[in-house]
Amino acid sequence: MLYLLHQLLDINIFQYITLRAGISFFTAFILTLVLMPRYIAWAKAKNANQPIYKHAPDSHQAKSTTPTMGGLVFLGSTLIASLLTIKYNNFLALGAILTIILFALIGIKDDLAKILHKKNEAGLSGNKKIFLQIGASIIIGLYLYFGGFMTELYIPFYKYPLFDMNILAIVFWILVFVSTSNAVNLTDGLDGLATVPSIFSIMSLSIFVYIMGHALLSEYLLLPNIKGIGEVTIIATALVGSLVGFLWHNCHPAEIFMGDSGSLALGGFIAYMAIITKNELLLILIGFVFVMETVSVILQVGSYKARKKRVFKMAPIHHHFELKGWAENKIIVRFWIIALISNLIALITLKIR
């Protein structure tokens, strides 16, 4: 809408991505701050609480009265702020919005089933959730492929593509989408634990997005220049703004949880940004906390099936530290520190090519 004002009224300032990104950030931030308390009050009145997983540490039972599905608010704020500020004819920006909506719908279906049946186990089964995630990933992958998006595979520290994946890029992208959305979902187990690493990841990827959309900067830093990609920065800053507003209520002790509606959409969007910036492999570092949580589950399950022994006291790994006696807030902040450091290291790859 702001870009339309630039075109219709010749308001030149609204053509700049940096200005519209700043506006989207503060619009989403303010909307989330205003709407979240109202949603929390409504959710409490409707008993839309987070069912606690029966095998979770005993301390989590105190959270059984905490409302969930806060993702609806911060994602709604993100979409409103984005639609007010992006170009409506931008192929990659529309793909980002499509990604948020599709993965949010999967999470909403899962959250509603848990709330209505008052049981964590009543949500989507693991197989059904992955099936829906694959379906959403196929839609987005086809959208990118037939929209003419580049299918070359890049690796960190090397300025040239290794090879062109062609149609197989869709399969690779499906793997990125499913693994990332599930990784963020697994991490969302403590107050604010998934929120801040998501902010760091989105901010890091936003830097790549902006540079790759800028002809001079991308040439200087030896990154591929992708026409129109810079517009996605505006959606990313809107999401960061809404997450900061959400964190105001989600920090320990949390007044609201994001639910699968929020975590799956966050993971899907982070995966989308990694794909369009050709950072699918660097995502291992950018989302290191999410990777760490996922690997801990894989090791735990694999070890128990193979040896009937556990590697950790409980998985994901944040529960392991809970059972070791660490205070919840200490676990959260230390994981935030790890996320910050891993993202700073990832950004170093901008110059080392």
Side-chain angles (χ1 to χ4, degrees), residues 82 91 95 120 123 126 145 167 180 213 247 266 274 288 329 333:
S82 298
F91 169 74
N120 189 281
Y145 182 79
I167 191 71
T180 308
L247 185 63
L266 280 179
F288 184 73
N329 218 27
V333 173

Side-chain angles (χ1 to χ4, degrees), residues 37-285:
R38 291 165 172 77
Y39 173 78
I40 292 172
W42 177 85
K44 285 183 176 179
K46 298 295 183 179
N47 290 320
N49 301 328
Q50 173 70 53
I52 304 301
Y53 182 51
K54 63 183 180 181
H55 296 302
D58 294 339
S59 59
H60 284 233
Q61 296 306 316
K63 303 182 181 187
S64 61
T65 58
T66 305
T68 189
M69 293 185 74
L72 290 179
V73 178
F74 71 71
L75 292 176
S77 299
T78 298
L79 293 176
I80 292 170
S82 298
L83 292 174
L84 286 172
T85 48
I86 64 167
K87 294 180 184 178
Y88 294 151
N89 63 346
N90 185 280
F91 169 74
L92 291 174
L94 294 178
I97 289 175
L98 176 65
T99 300
I100 292 172
I101 291 173
L102 288 177
F103 279 90
L105 288 174
I106 298 170
I108 289 168
K109 183 175 178 61
D110 190 41
D111 285 336
L112 286 176
K114 294 175 183 176
I115 291 170
L116 292 174
H117 294 89
K118 304 298 180 184
K119 288 175 61 179
N120 189 281
E121 296 76 12
L124 294 172
S125 66
N127 289 339
K128 190 169 185 180
K129 186 182 288 186
I130 289 177
F131 175 78
L132 292 173
Q133 288 171 309
I134 291 173
S137 303
I138 290 172
I139 292 171
I140 302 160
L142 291 172
Y143 175 84
L144 290 173
Y145 182 79
F146 288 107
F149 186 72
M150 59 194 300
T151 54
E152 292 87 354
L153 177 67
Y154 283 78
I155 61 172
F157 307 113
Y158 189 61
K159 61 184 177 181
Y160 300 113
L162 290 186
F163 56 87
D164 191 344
M165 296 180 286
N166 293 308
I167 191 71
L168 292 178
I170 296 176
V171 178
F172 181 52
W173 295 339
I174 291 170
L175 177 63
V176 175
F177 274 118
V178 173
S179 58
T180 308
S181 59
N182 279 316
V184 177
N185 185 235
L186 283 172
T187 306
D188 184 33
L190 299 178
D191 302 347
L193 183 59
T195 307
V196 173
S198 294
I199 291 173
F200 290 152
S201 298
I202 295 168
M203 289 176 66
S204 294
L205 289 165
S206 295
I207 293 171
F208 281 95
V209 166
Y210 182 76
I211 290 172
M212 293 172 76
H214 194 289
L216 294 178
L217 289 175
S218 60
E219 182 181 7
Y220 172 68
L221 292 169
L222 306 176
L223 291 168
N225 178 232
I226 302 175
K227 185 179 179 181
I229 194 175
E231 203 72 13
V232 179
T233 309
I234 297 168
I235 301 172
T237 53
L239 185 51
V240 169
S242 64
L243 283 173
V244 173
F246 173 67
L247 185 63
W248 186 270
H249 300 282
N250 182 237
C251 60
H252 185 71
E255 302 168 56
I256 182 75
F257 298 136
M258 67 171 68
D260 284 14
S261 52
S263 61
L264 291 179
L266 280 179
F269 182 73
I270 291 170
Y272 180 83
M273 291 188 75
I275 288 167
I276 64 172
T277 58
K278 313 311 296 176
N279 280 317
E280 298 98 337
L281 299 180
L282 189 62
L283 187 56
I284 295 171
L285 191 55

